[in-house]
Amino acid sequence: GERALAAMPESDPDWAVCASSLGVALLARTRRTGDLADLEAATATLRHAAQALADGHQHKALALSNLGLALQLRATRLGLAEDLTQAVASSRQAVAQVAEGAPSRGMFLLNLAGELLDLHERTGERSHAEEAVATARRALAAAGAGYPGRARYLALLGIALAARCEARQEFADLNEAVTLCRHAVDATLDGDPDQAMSLCWLATVLRVRYQQAGDQADLSEVITVYRRAVAGQRDGLRDEGLSWYGLGSALLAQFDRSGDLADIAAAVEAIRKAADAASAEHGYQVMYLSELGAALRKRFEATGDQADLDEAIKYSKRAVELAPVGHSSRSRLSFNLGSALMRSPVQASADDGSDDDGSDADAR
């Protein structure tokens, strides 16, 4: 543990390997508890270990790849694109340390592809999506047909293809993306944590196809797939909120199409469950809270229920308060809060009262 490592001189030949193991343990504990102090310690320890291990050392690639994963998680928590840039750089070094045909190469490529996808989502750079697709294909080829975790490789390639389609605004690969994610679901068993994630990824690519083609059958399947995901996941699973959030988002899209108040009621309930499932330490909580506010605001616009608007303002404010300075989604969070405040009678009254020069209050 930490005390054993502190008692060991860095000159000890085993120090870097022990430091790498401690970093992995701290990272695993962070994923369970969400403790930011553990995440910072994991990142620092893995960085030190990776620097101390010589090129070609059998543990060097693993330390570098785990450092990439720690930085990726840190980016989710703090919303800093620089962490993702460093994560990609670290994972590229990890891949470079491993020979073609090595059993671990597929895993390192998979980690790199996931980080490239996150970086694309954060920056909008098309080149990151292009590289994510190429890297995910290499990862899938390296894993082989009988690899136990093959579902993740199939699904990540599907997600990467969908992201590239959106970046290019060319959608020829969407059917392949959907097929890959269906295969990923088929490759898992009921109760397998990978199944819930594979279902979420299938729903994601179906949603992209719906947005591109507008086929109601795709949106209906998105909702069905997310319902299956939330029904099959275990209570207390760290990322259980993702399934509820996806379901709520899809139901909001259904409401936009149908105008059925039952759809928006179900959407609010689902996004509320996502927010409830995420602690303050969870990287996605600010997004869940903000989108809960947006859903409540939309229901207020449909029904005029002031209680919904009051809640919308409360949750939107909380999301802005929780977002760290420099968080990449801060402008979106602020927009959602502003949209709710603009509909508040108190805010509207204040705006009218400040219009002393007789100018048009709507001309803002």
Side-chain angles (χ1 to χ4, degrees):
E2 293 160 279
R3 284 184 293 180
L5 186 67
M8 182 183 294
E10 290 191 30
S11 58
D12 190 305
D14 294 327
W15 183 90
V17 175
C18 291
S20 180
S21 297
L22 174 60
V24 171
L26 288 166
L27 183 58
R29 190 164 72 185
T30 298
R31 293 190 186 281
R32 290 196 308 273
T33 67
D35 190 289
L36 183 59
D38 278 345
L39 178 56
E40 298 288 14
T43 304
T45 302
L46 287 164
R47 194 189 303 276
H48 201 168
Q51 290 169 347
L53 289 163
D55 286 345
H57 191 287
Q58 60 178 334
H59 292 284
K60 175 87 169 182
L62 187 59
L64 286 164
S65 189
N66 282 323
L67 173 59
L69 293 175
L71 288 162
Q72 182 185 30
L73 182 57
R74 192 172 185 271
T76 301
R77 287 288 309 279
L78 302 179
L80 302 177
E82 177 58 27
D83 282 335
L84 283 174
T85 301
Q86 292 182 25
V88 167
S90 187
S91 287
R92 281 194 180 123
Q93 292 177 54
V95 171
Q97 291 282 324
V98 182
E100 292 281 354
S104 60
R105 187 174 175 83
M107 176 185 69
F108 297 142
L109 285 164
L110 183 74
N111 291 344
L112 173 57
E115 290 150 12
L116 284 163
L117 267 181
D118 281 2
L119 188 58
H120 164 69
E121 182 179 344
R122 196 64 54 89
T123 66
E125 286 288 334
R126 174 175 157 178
S127 61
H128 298 319
E130 299 280 0
E131 188 180 355
V133 170
T135 304
R137 286 199 189 281
R138 292 165 61 201
L140 182 60
Y147 190 75
R150 187 172 172 80
R152 283 172 287 166
Y153 292 75
L154 290 163
L156 189 65
L157 177 54
I159 287 288
L161 283 166
R164 189 177 71 177
C165 285
E166 290 186 294
R168 289 178 171 180
Q169 286 298 292
E170 298 172 1
F171 298 95
D173 292 333
L174 269 181
N175 289 337
E176 182 188 0
V178 171
T179 298
L180 284 162
C181 289
R182 290 195 197 282
H183 288 331
V185 173
D186 292 342
T188 60
L189 300 174
D190 290 345
D192 184 341
D194 279 348
Q195 186 180 75
M197 188 55 65
S198 296
L199 286 164
C200 287
W201 283 343
L202 172 58
T204 297
V205 296
L206 285 166
R207 180 75 182 270
V208 173
R209 194 167 71 177
Y210 164 72
Q211 290 168 337
Q212 186 269 326
D215 187 341
Q216 175 63 39
D218 278 338
L219 181 57
S220 297
E221 187 176 3
V222 169
I223 293 169
T224 298
V225 170
Y226 273 128
R227 289 194 192 282
R228 182 180 167 192
V230 298
Q233 67 189 7
R234 301 192 307 270
D235 289 340
L237 193 66
R238 174 121 184 98
D239 293 325
E240 67 175 300
L242 288 171
S243 301
W244 283 114
Y245 172 76
L247 175 59
S249 178
L251 287 164
L252 280 178
Q254 177 82 342
F255 170 74
D256 288 339
R257 191 164 179 142
S258 69
D260 188 338
L261 291 177
D263 286 332
I264 197 166
V268 169
E269 180 184 2
I271 300 174
R272 196 186 297 276
K273 286 182 177 179
D276 290 344
S279 66
E281 292 79 20
H282 193 291
Y284 291 112
Q285 193 195 41
V286 294
M287 178 177 72
Y288 298 159
L289 289 169
S290 184
E291 293 306 305
L292 175 56
L296 286 160
R297 186 198 75 232
K298 184 171 285 193
R299 188 165 69 176
F300 163 77
E301 291 167 353
T303 67
D305 188 339
Q306 183 63 37
D308 278 341
L309 183 58
D310 292 342
E311 267 202 299
I313 293 170
K314 179 181 76 171
Y315 288 120
S316 298
K317 279 183 177 177
R318 183 60 176 152
V320 172
E321 290 167 356
L322 285 174
V325 174
H327 195 288
S328 61
S329 297
R330 198 171 182 87
S331 60
R332 177 182 174 184
L333 304 177
S334 298
F335 175 83
N336 281 349
L337 172 58
S339 296
L341 287 170
M342 288 296 293
R343 288 154 178 80
S344 169
V346 174
Q347 180 70 25
S349 175
D351 288 344
D352 291 343
S354 65
D355 190 25
D356 296 330
D357 63 359
S359 62
D360 186 353
D362 290 333
R364 279 188 294 243

